[in-house]
């Protein structure tokens, strides 16, 4: 028995335990890095005295640019073989997506730090210019990192059982890390229960850590499934931009999945302004909105270990649909009950957190299924373009969700303030006549942004999934055909219907 078989205890699996661990670690480092930018961006700019309604408009313009660059980069990553370029060969190593990751992994942490180094003494116009330039650089570099990193789940292994295992463990680690990171970040900037560090100092420390934990995959990563099997002639060799469009047009299931994610993301207004809202609603305590996630932490991990069994029992689509209804319903109840009763707020938030953590695992299941469907139908490996679209939806909705939240807060009469940190804002005071004061109407606007808009959005997002008709077992058969485990004729004979 070889070394890998002894480590994995699965003779037909491709990756060793260490190789899978390096992938999990780097993927979490990437998500950790982007979460720092997204978590504090709105609050950082709001405390810089930027007009929220103007900021909302600027964010929308930036997302129009993002709509172009994500798709273009996805196409380039799928189309260009940078391992054939002598100038990059020593740096990139072998593979389809890892070479891109090795070239770009450090860029978005760098531009995140650049953004948070914005001087508070700049005029408002200069601050907006700083934001636009640094955001675009962050956005471009994030796409160059995110597309190959997400696409790796398709090329690390051609074994569908191992892929399911990787996706399940990845989802559990993501929930685990999201809780730790979310609580840690809010604790570090909390002026009441934490040290009250500035956003700039927290971002610098976080980005150093982000780069360090992505290094193992950069140095030792390897792909084992870079070529498609059971395709005709030279379909697998190269393809044009038109081929890419045909792949997207063919995959109606991915479009349904992306539309559902788009609606949920656009209305996820609480995420971008969460710590700022928590500061005002709960007397300067930015940790309060993290408590439901912290309480749900252990139960979520236990439930997520059963995700594969749940999906086999109820189906991936049905599971996501029900979890979306629960998640959205809890936010609607929070809005109706109000934030004055903290116990009820935490209970409803905990239930929502449990539903959302499991929902995230099923999202990771469904995306590869839709990609396997397109590979099966077209003979083209379009993972890059689909994960580029997914990256676009994720980043665009984060921006649009933040923009919508900012716009609503501005319409409810947000009063401009300027401070380096929450600690300084707390010292300024939030009572009537003090520099950090907000009117009761503005406070209500924050509550609408935190609970009502996301609740409605997730209910609509769940309903969209009812149009998703790709069966789990059929997707698994297509994956086996694409990897060469079974022939196309065997696959078609076993499919539940003609696709």
């Amino acid at each position: 028995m070889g070394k890998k078989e002894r480590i994995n205890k699965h003779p037909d699996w491709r990756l060793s335990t260490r190789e899978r661990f390096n992938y999990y670690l780097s993927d979490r480092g990437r998500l950790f890095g982007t979460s720092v930018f997204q978590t504090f961006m709105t609050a950082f700019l709001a405390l810089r005295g930027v007009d929220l309604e103007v900021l909302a408009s600027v964010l929308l313009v930036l997302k129009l640019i993002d709509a172009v660059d994500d798709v273009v980069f996805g196409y380039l990553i799928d189309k260009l073989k940078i391992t054939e370029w002598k100038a990059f060969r020593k740096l990139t190593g072998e593979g389809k997506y890892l070479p891109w990751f090795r070239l770009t992994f450090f860029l978005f942490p760098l531009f995140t730090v650049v953004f948070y180094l914005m001087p508070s003494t700049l005029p408002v116009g200069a601050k907006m210019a700083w934001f636009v330039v640094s955001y675009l650089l962050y956005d471009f570099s994030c796409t160059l990192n995110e597309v190959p990193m997400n696409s790796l789940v398709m090329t690390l292994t051609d074994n569908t059982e191992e892929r399911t295992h990787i996706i399940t463990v990845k989802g559990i680690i993501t929930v685990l890390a999201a809780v730790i990171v979310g609580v840690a970040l809010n604790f570090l900037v909390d002026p009441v229960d934490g040290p009250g560090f500035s956003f700039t100092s927290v971002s610098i420390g976080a980005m150093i850590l982000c780069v360090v934990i992505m290094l193992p995959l950069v140095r030792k990563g390897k792909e084992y499934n870079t070529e498609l099997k059971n395709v005709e002639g030279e379909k697998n060799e190269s393809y044009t931009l038109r081929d890419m469009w045909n792949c997207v047009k063919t995959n109606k299931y991915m479009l349904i999945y992306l539309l559902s994610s788009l609606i949920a993301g656009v209305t996820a207004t609480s995420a971008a302004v969460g710590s700022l809202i928590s500061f005002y609603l709960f007397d300067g305590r930015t940790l309060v909105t993290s408590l439901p996630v912290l309480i749900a932490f252990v139960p979520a991990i236990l439930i997520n270990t059963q995700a594969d069994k749940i999906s086999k029992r109820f189906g991936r689509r049905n599971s996501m649909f029900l979890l979306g209804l629960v998640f959205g319903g809890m936010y609607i109840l929070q809005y109706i009950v109000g934030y004055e009763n903290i116990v009820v707020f935490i209970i409803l938030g905990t239930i929502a957190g449990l539903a959302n953590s499991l929902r995230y695992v099923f999202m990771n299941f469904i995306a590869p299924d839709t990609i396997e469907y397109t590979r099966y139908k077209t003979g083209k490996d379009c993972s890059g373009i689909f994960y580029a679209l997914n990256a676009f939806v994720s980043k665009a909705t984060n921006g649009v969700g933040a923009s919508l939240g900012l716009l609503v807060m501005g319409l409810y009469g947000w009063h401009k303030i300027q401070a380096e940190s929450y600690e300084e804002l707390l010292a300024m005071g939030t009572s009537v006549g003090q520099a950090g004061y907000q009117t009761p109407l503005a406070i209500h606007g924050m509550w609408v942004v935190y609970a009502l808009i996301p609740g409605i959005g997730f209910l609509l997002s769940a309903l969209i999934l009812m149009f998703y008709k790709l069966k789990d077992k059929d997707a698994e058969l297509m994956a086996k055909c694409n990897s060469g485990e079974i022939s196309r004729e065997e696959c078609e004979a076993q499919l539940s219907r003609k696709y």
Side-chain angles (χ1 to χ4, degrees):
M1 181 180 291
K3 184 178 179 180
K4 286 186 179 178
E5 286 81 359
R6 291 198 303 272
I7 294 175
N8 290 330
K9 299 180 181 179
H10 294 278
D12 54 342
W13 284 18
R14 289 285 197 167
L15 279 67
S16 68
T17 302
R18 181 177 292 277
E19 286 175 318
R20 291 195 298 273
F21 175 78
N22 288 344
Y23 170 69
Y24 301 142
L25 190 65
S26 291
D27 183 68
R28 189 55 255 175
R30 173 184 65 85
L31 293 173
F32 167 55
T34 55
S35 68
V36 173
F37 190 97
Q38 295 162 4
T39 298
F40 294 143
M41 181 192 75
T42 303
F44 176 76
L45 292 170
L47 266 62
R48 282 293 189 273
V50 175
D51 187 286
L52 296 191
E53 292 176 76
V54 173
L55 179 58
S57 300
V58 171
L59 273 175
L60 286 176
V61 173
L62 291 174
K63 287 308 160 185
L64 291 176
I65 299 173
D66 194 28
V68 177
D69 77 69
D70 272 42
V71 177
V72 170
F73 288 159
Y75 168 73
L76 292 176
I77 287 170
D78 264 340
K79 179 70 173 176
L80 300 178
K81 297 180 180 180
I82 57 174
T83 54
E84 297 178 357
W85 301 355
K86 292 183 179 180
F88 293 140
R89 189 173 299 162
K90 290 184 179 180
L91 294 174
T92 62
E94 296 298 324
K96 182 177 177 64
Y97 297 115
L98 271 174
W100 286 98
F101 178 71
R102 292 188 179 105
L103 278 180
T104 62
F105 78 99
F106 65 93
L107 291 176
F108 81 85
L110 172 64
F111 294 128
T112 297
V113 172
V114 169
F115 168 69
Y116 283 104
L117 287 176
M118 177 194 296
S120 60
T121 55
L122 291 176
V124 174
K127 289 177 182 176
M128 290 304 301
W130 186 294
F131 165 62
V132 169
V133 173
S134 60
Y135 186 91
L136 286 174
L137 290 172
Y138 161 81
D139 183 70
F140 294 160
S141 59
C142 191
T143 300
L144 283 172
N145 180 275
E146 188 171 4
V147 172
M149 191 63 189
N150 279 329
S151 299
L152 272 175
V153 75
M154 305 302 299
T155 58
L156 285 175
T157 179
D158 55 7
N159 185 285
T160 55
E161 181 185 358
E162 184 178 16
R163 184 186 299 165
T164 299
H165 173 81
I166 290 172
I167 292 171
T168 303
V169 174
K170 174 184 171 181
I172 294 171
I173 292 174
T174 298
V175 172
L176 173 68
V179 173
I180 296 173
V181 169
V183 172
L185 291 177
N186 283 316
F187 171 76
L188 290 172
V189 300
D190 193 306
V192 178
D193 303 312
F197 292 142
S198 69
F199 298 123
T200 301
S201 59
V202 171
S203 68
I204 292 173
M207 290 306 101
I208 292 173
L209 179 60
C210 171
V211 170
V212 169
I213 61 180
M214 287 193 288
L215 284 174
L217 186 66
V218 171
R219 295 178 61 244
K220 298 182 179 180
K222 188 175 181 181
E223 297 168 273
Y224 294 91
N225 186 36
T226 58
E227 299 293 335
L228 283 175
K229 313 297 191 300
N230 287 325
V231 295
E232 298 177 2
E234 297 183 357
K235 275 188 175 181
N236 190 44
E237 297 302 318
S238 62
Y239 45 90
T240 65
L241 188 58
R242 183 177 180 179
D243 291 328
M244 297 293 292
W245 167 245
N246 288 334
C247 286
V248 176
K249 189 170 61 174
T250 299
N251 197 336
K252 57 187 176 182
Y253 303 112
M254 174 59 83
L255 294 179
I256 292 169
Y257 166 86
L258 290 175
L259 179 59
S260 175
S261 299
L262 180 68
I263 294 173
V266 165
T267 56
T269 51
S270 62
V273 291
S275 65
L276 186 64
I277 288 173
S278 184
F279 178 91
Y280 276 100
L281 296 183
F282 302 106
D283 302 319
R285 289 180 164 86
T286 61
L287 272 173
V288 172
T289 51
S290 297
L291 288 178
V293 180
L294 184 61
I295 294 170
F297 174 57
V298 174
I301 294 298
L302 295 175
I303 292 174
N304 285 355
T305 60
Q306 304 302 309
D308 190 34
K309 293 181 180 179
I310 294 172
S311 70
K312 290 177 180 178
R313 175 67 178 83
F314 299 102
R316 294 167 183 172
R317 190 282 306 271
N318 293 339
S319 299
M320 275 193 67
F321 169 72
L322 292 173
L323 292 167
L325 291 181
V326 173
F327 185 73
M330 292 303 102
Y331 268 87
I332 296 292
L333 284 175
Q334 274 189 338
Y335 176 77
I336 294 171
V337 173
Y339 58 87
E340 291 82 3
N341 191 325
I342 295 182
V343 174
V344 175
F345 170 83
I346 291 175
I347 291 173
L348 294 177
T350 300
I351 297 172
L354 286 170
N356 196 41
S357 66
L358 189 55
R359 177 182 169 277
Y360 179 82
V361 175
F362 285 110
M363 286 176 64
N364 287 328
F365 280 147
I366 287 180
D369 284 353
T370 62
I371 292 171
E372 292 291 4
Y373 168 80
T374 305
R375 293 170 114 188
Y376 178 78
K377 290 288 288 185
T378 66
K380 302 288 185 180
D381 184 4
C382 299
S383 302
I385 193 65
F386 284 124
Y387 279 115
L389 287 169
N390 194 53
F392 160 64
V393 169
S394 176
K395 290 193 283 111
T397 54
N398 280 328
V400 175
S403 181
L404 178 60
L406 291 171
L407 179 61
V408 172
M409 287 172 62
L411 293 175
Y412 273 88
W414 168 265
H415 172 66
K416 288 193 292 185
I417 53 179
Q418 185 157 326
E420 289 290 333
S421 64
Y422 284 132
E423 185 173 42
E424 183 178 329
L425 179 58
L426 186 66
M428 291 163 56
T430 57
S431 301
V432 178
Q434 295 180 320
Y437 172 70
Q438 300 295 336
T439 66
L441 182 62
I443 297 297
H444 179 70
M446 292 182 183
W447 188 232
V448 170
V449 167
Y450 182 83
L452 182 60
I453 296 176
I456 294 173
F458 266 93
L459 292 179
L460 293 175
S461 172
L463 293 175
I464 291 294
L465 288 174
M466 295 307 295
F467 296 96
Y468 180 93
K469 304 293 185 180
L470 177 61
K471 293 187 177 181
D472 300 347
K473 290 184 178 179
D474 289 343
E476 291 172 5
L477 286 170
M478 293 174 188
K480 291 180 179 179
C481 176
N482 293 335
S483 67
E485 186 175 338
I486 61 175
S487 68
R488 180 168 288 271
E489 290 74 20
E490 290 174 312
C491 178
E492 291 178 353
Q494 298 179 63
L495 290 174
S496 64
R497 63 184 178 85
K498 185 174 179 61
Y499 286 88

